[in-house]
Amino acid sequence: MTNMLEIKDLHAEVGGTEILKGLSLTIGEGEVHAIMGPNGAGKSTLSYVLSGRDGYEVTSGSITYRGQDLFELAIEERAAAGIFLGFQYPVELPGVSSTTFLKTALNAVLRQRGEDELDAVQFMKRLRVHTKSLNISDDMLRRGVNVGFSGGEKKRNEILQMALLEPYLAVLDETDSGLDIDALKVVADGVNALRGPTRSMLVITHYQRLLDYIVPDFVHVLAHGRIARTGGKELALELEEKGYGEFADAPHGSEAA
Amino acid sequence: MTLENYQAQLAQNLPQTDLPWLADLRQGAADRFASIGLPDRKVEAWRYTNLKPIQARLFEVGPFEADTFQADRVRAGDTTPALLSDSHRMVFSDGLLIAGAQDLPDGVSLKGMAQVLAEDPEILTDHKQGIGAIRDLPLPTLNRALSRDGYVLVLEPGVIVAQAIEILFQSSTGAAYPRNLILAGAGAQVSVVEHYLGTSEDDYLVNGVTEVHAATGAHIKRYKIQRDGPGASHIATLAGQLEADARFENFDLNLGAKLARSEIHMALQGHGADASLNGVYLLRDKQHCDNAILMDHVVGATNSHQDYRGILDDKAHGVFQGKITVQPDAQGIEGHQLNKTLLLSDTAEIDSKPELEIRADDVKCSHGATAGELDEAGLFYLRSRGIPEAEARQLLMAAFIVETLGHIDDEAIRDVMDGLVTDWMAS
């Protein structure tokens, strides 16, 4: 089996402060990995480094995505190559209609993948398949992107984007935050429907709860900028019981943001 | 050439020099301008705009050709660009009519100002002096002294003009002083597009005046699309008087010229009058655009609305000065004003000066001004979905002004504006 993602000894800084301090992680094709960890361990930093956000500076190490050096790709090229980041806090874009946004994104990705773009009719047809199962109303599609959406609607909208863009690697950053149990189930169902032998997922979460619904193949504990422990899904339960106490002490006395 | 030899060299370039009242009016204006001159930046209304660049061109008014207003003859071979596929068109070139409107519906008269002066100057009887609010201002005064032509649109009461009227002012050199007049009878309705287009890179000047009189219940929509040349100066003064229940909607799209000033004086004179003044300014390089609005709620139960938004790049300079005045006893009015600017570079500048002067107590007024950069988080979000950076920036820019463009309720005209705006963003 080829690897989807290989992160080797990754060091990354934000605003001159080192957050990731030698993180290594390998994700195989079709695998679902969960990254858990205390607040400030560097979980969101990892998701932003993977997606290429400005201000997250990699100082050493490597990330190989489907055999390719990830750092050579711009943000949009990573998306086109099949990396999807589900945002912890999806951004509101007043004045950009949801439908326009979704169609522009899908066609941009199709174009970069060398596939035919969809016209309005083809696009709406494809959109309908997903909006129905994710319970996304026409009203949401008419509004500005994420504008006036509830927490649950925002997260469902993230999963809708993921479903449309058909990524190889989905990075879901705290997808459970701000969701009640019903909303969580809808989101988890949406994610599970997208699981498949060629699609890998990296589920970032603070709480074990999400992993009851999106059951991972591997669980990693991220603490102080590196993977402190790796196990199966049972590790999540153990963390739920014991908390992150054993990972609390910073080995070098540094604070991670 | 200067005003000192106005009679000898300038006045003779104007149409209908033999009309005594007109000659007097022009001479009076010339005298007045000679004594006041161009405003400098010590004048509050001109604090942000330096008029020095137009000084050299002020008096370069070309000769008036007496047969210009029989311009229908060139209509067949007209190759000037049209924005609307379906409209009544009229074309001015360097300030003179070159193609007149045809097939106008009953109750509508649309002619060149020179033609009106020659054929039925009585139309102008009540409008010789122009609207008081702008009469003594330097640039309208100079316009009165030097204007050779313009359009005169007269709508009889109750006339509804289905097709828009599109008026092209193309310029390439010298100084043009279009003087335009819209007289809408009670209940009349019309949409007018004034399209200013540069056909050279010359530092020519356009100093135009448009006056609007809307009788009871009339509804006028006026759209100005300013695409003058990159070296040009475009000065425009719009003055309007709205009677009871009249509605006036104005939209200013500012794209062109090196120096642009759009000044609007709107008087809500009858109960129920409503003015909606909106605009978008898109500037780059060293372009300068100054929107100055004076909204006067003369009587009660009147409404006004202003929404101006701009996107500034490079070393562009935008100015917005908007004032809402509520006269004593003008109760039950509503006046709102908003100015928002997106700055794409550190060297672009916006000066925004919203003002309220309220002398009545039962009013609902608001004003707001913001300036900001393109939202970095939004840009990242769009790019993380595969949208290339340039396209993502365009989406955010379009989103910034979409609400303002939404005030244009003629669909065909909004499509034209959308197209021009999209072209600007993509270039």
Side-chain angles (χ1 to χ4, degrees), chain B residues 28-46:
Chain B
D31 291 343
R32 175 164 171 77
F33 186 80
S35 74
I36 59 177
L38 285 177
D40 63 27
R41 294 173 67 184
K42 284 178 227 142
V43 178
E44 186 60 24
W46 291 91

Side-chain angles (χ1 to χ4, degrees), chain A residues 169-238:
Chain A
L169 174 65
V171 181
L172 303 175
D173 188 4
E174 308 264 359
T175 289
D176 50 334
S177 69
L179 297 188
D180 62 27
I181 200 72
D182 292 330
L184 182 63
K185 279 180 187 165
V186 175
V187 168
D189 286 348
V191 172
N192 287 328
L194 297 169
R195 285 178 79 153
T198 57
R199 181 169 292 136
S200 308
M201 294 187 185
L202 182 60
V203 180
I204 294 171
T205 182
H206 185 76
Y207 300 105
Q208 182 268 338
R209 187 180 71 155
L210 178 67
L211 304 182
D212 287 341
Y213 298 95
I214 304 173
V215 180
D217 300 308
F218 299 93
V219 174
H220 311 273
V221 179
L222 176 60
H224 310 302
R226 37 196 314 180
I227 301 295
R229 212 175 137 188
T230 294
K233 62 187 174 197
E234 66 286 347
L235 177 56
L237 292 167
E238 186 189 321

Side-chain angles (χ1 to χ4, degrees), chain A:
Chain A
M1 194 194 282
T2 48
N3 284 329
M4 179 66 70
L5 187 73
E6 276 180 50
I7 304 175
K8 284 187 185 159
D9 194 28
L10 182 69
H11 292 254
E13 297 180 354
V14 180
T17 304
E18 185 168 63
I19 308 292
L20 298 181
K21 303 166 184 175
L23 185 146
S24 295
L25 176 68
T26 299
I27 298 178
E29 225 177 25
E31 293 174 356
V32 174
H33 290 237
I35 287 202
M36 302 182 71
N39 290 327
K43 301 194 298 292
S44 286
T45 297
L46 175 62
S47 71
Y48 287 140
V49 167
L50 286 169
S51 53
R53 185 166 196 167
D54 285 348
Y56 292 79
E57 199 194 338
V58 174
T59 50
S60 68
S62 66
I63 302 180
T64 308
Y65 165 72
R66 302 184 83 215
Q68 208 176 353
D69 178 359
L70 188 67
F71 301 144
E72 287 184 355
L73 302 179
I75 300 167
E76 53 268 33
E77 290 168 340
R78 295 181 193 198
I83 293 181
F84 179 87
L85 170 62
F87 281 58
Q88 182 179 2
Y89 302 110
V91 180
E92 295 187 11
L93 302 173
V96 181
S97 93
S98 288
T99 306
T100 303
F101 163 65
L102 294 168
K103 182 164 177 270
T104 307
L106 177 58
N107 277 336
V109 163
L110 289 174
R111 193 166 64 233
Q112 290 172 83
R113 290 176 185 166
E115 295 174 39
D116 289 339
E117 295 185 34
L118 302 188
D119 65 26
V121 175
Q122 293 166 322
F123 169 74
M124 286 314 288
K125 210 169 156 187
R126 195 177 294 193
L127 184 63
R128 290 282 169 232
V129 174
H130 302 294
T131 52
K132 208 171 162 194
S133 60
L134 286 164
N135 191 22
I136 286 172
S137 66
D138 286 355
D139 177 55
M140 281 170 70
L141 293 172
R142 271 191 296 269
R143 271 185 268 164
V145 178
N146 294 319
V147 176
F149 286 23
S150 69
E153 286 173 335
K154 282 181 181 171
K155 294 300 168 77
R156 267 157 35 215
N157 195 31
E158 292 294 289
I159 305 307
L160 170 64
Q161 293 163 44
M162 174 167 119
L164 277 173
L165 299 181
E166 300 180 332
Y168 291 112
L169 174 65
V171 181
L172 303 175
D173 188 4
E174 308 264 359
T175 289
D176 50 334
S177 69
L179 297 188
D180 62 27
I181 200 72
D182 292 330
L184 182 63
K185 279 180 187 165
V186 175
V187 168
D189 286 348
V191 172
N192 287 328
L194 297 169
R195 285 178 79 153
T198 57
R199 181 169 292 136
S200 308
M201 294 187 185
L202 182 60
V203 180
I204 294 171
T205 182
H206 185 76
Y207 300 105
Q208 182 268 338
R209 187 180 71 155
L210 178 67
L211 304 182
D212 287 341
Y213 298 95
I214 304 173
V215 180
D217 300 308
F218 299 93
V219 174
H220 311 273
V221 179
L222 176 60
H224 310 302
R226 37 196 314 180
I227 301 295
R229 212 175 137 188
T230 294
K233 62 187 174 197
E234 66 286 347
L235 177 56
L237 292 167
E238 186 189 321
L239 290 167
E240 178 79 356
E241 202 178 307
K242 295 186 183 165
Y244 293 108
E246 69 172 289
F247 306 103
D249 294 330
H252 309 295
S254 61
E255 287 269 324

Side-chain angles (χ1 to χ4, degrees), chain B residues 1 10 13 53-63 93-96 142 146 148 170-178 197-208 228-229 231-235:
Chain B
M1 196 177 286
L10 291 168
N13 280 340
I54 73 170
Q55 186 81 49
R57 288 255 150 166
L58 284 180
F59 306 113
E60 292 185 11
V61 182
S93 182
D94 286 323
L96 292 177
L142 191 60
L146 295 175
R148 293 183 296 168
Q170 60 179 20
S171 300
S172 62
T173 189
Y177 288 86
L197 184 67
T199 56
S200 81
E201 302 198 348
D202 188 79
D203 60 344
Y204 66 83
L205 167 69
V206 176
N207 174 23
D228 271 308
S233 295
H234 174 102
I235 315 279

Side-chain angles (χ1 to χ4, degrees), chain B residues 225-343:
Chain B
I225 298 173
Q226 192 271 101
R227 299 165 74 202
D228 271 308
S233 295
H234 174 102
I235 315 279
T237 308
L238 168 71
Q241 294 184 333
L242 310 187
E243 303 304 331
D245 297 320
R247 282 181 54 102
F248 180 66
E249 293 171 47
N250 191 68
F251 194 96
D252 261 352
L253 177 62
N254 267 286
L255 294 167
K258 189 169 186 194
L259 166 65
R261 160 90 166 191
S262 179
E263 186 169 320
I264 300 179
H265 296 252
M266 195 55 49
L268 307 176
Q269 306 187 146
H271 294 282
D274 186 311
S276 178
L277 309 181
N278 307 297
V280 164
Y281 44 97
L282 305 177
L283 312 174
R284 54 167 62 107
D285 300 326
K286 288 183 175 175
Q287 281 183 291
H288 177 101
C289 176
D290 181 345
N291 283 291
I293 296 171
L294 289 103
M295 180 71 76
D296 192 359
H297 290 260
V298 182
V299 300
T302 49
N303 292 317
S304 72
H305 177 272
Q306 300 168 41
D307 179 1
Y308 275 73
R309 295 190 205 187
I311 303 176
L312 275 50
D313 203 352
D314 304 321
K315 292 185 173 175
H317 186 190
V319 181
F320 177 82
Q321 308 179 77
K323 185 173 180 180
I324 299 174
T325 303
V326 183
Q327 301 295 350
D329 304 324
Q331 306 293 359
I333 71 102
E334 218 173 294
H336 300 287
Q337 183 188 78
L338 182 64
N339 174 231
K340 292 172 81 171
T341 303
L342 186 60
L343 300 166

